[in-house]
Amino acid sequence: QVQLVESGGGSVQAGGSLRLSCAASGRTFSTYCMAWFRQAAGKQREWVAMHSAYGYTTYAESVQGRFTISRDNTKSTLYLQMNNLKPEDTAMYYCAARVTWSCALGPNDYNYWGQGTQVTVSS
């Protein structure tokens, strides 16, 4: 069983920055694909960024160049640095773990989820 706990959400003005963290339990964090998803009110959950256990990172087009995903395997922690935030980035952000080295795009491909952290960007 893996537990994921997100933190770092909040309210910022457009153009601002936030850094999300996701602390994971368990000893095999380094072998998991880790990802960030988000879900805005009334919309489906969508992937934002993912970091495979091999070290490869992938970003949704909407956040490319503004968000950076990283991980510290020594701390079993995943991060999402979000810069130049836009009102359309407003959503609940979720950390997810897939118990394989490679990543996938669909939420159903992930085994564990955190409780989410709210990000609100005002114009």
Side-chain angles (χ1 to χ4, degrees):
Q1 188 73 15
V2 175
Q3 291 186 329
L4 304 174
V5 179
E6 301 99 332
S7 61
S11 297
V12 296
Q13 290 190 328
S17 298
L18 284 173
R19 188 193 195 203
L20 306 183
S21 298
C22 172
S25 66
R27 300 182 179 179
T28 53
F29 176 84
S30 63
T31 65
Y32 296 163
C33 162
M34 298 298 298
W36 289 99
F37 285 77
R38 68 185 180 187
Q39 188 166 15
K43 295 187 177 181
Q44 290 188 335
R45 191 168 297 191
E46 62 177 4
W47 74 278
V48 174
M50 46 193 66
H51 195 305
S52 76
Y54 298 107
Y56 295 112
T57 58
T58 309
Y59 298 91
E61 186 175 350
S62 59
V63 306
Q64 181 77 43
R66 300 188 297 120
F67 291 11
T68 302
I69 189 172
S70 61
R71 64 195 293 169
D72 185 338
N73 290 335
T74 65
K75 297 181 179 179
S76 296
T77 302
L78 180 73
Y79 303 99
L80 185 68
Q81 177 66 44
M82 305 185 295
N83 297 329
N84 190 21
L85 282 160
K86 302 176 180 180
E88 51 264 42
D89 295 318
T90 296
M92 184 72 79
Y93 283 70
Y94 297 91
C95 170
R98 185 170 189 243
V99 187
T100 64
W101 284 68
S102 60
C103 294
L105 296 178
N108 292 337
D109 294 316
Y110 288 78
N111 305 98
Y112 301 103
W113 292 84
Q115 82 290 348
T117 186
Q118 179 68 37
V119 171
T120 303
V121 184
S122 59
S123 58

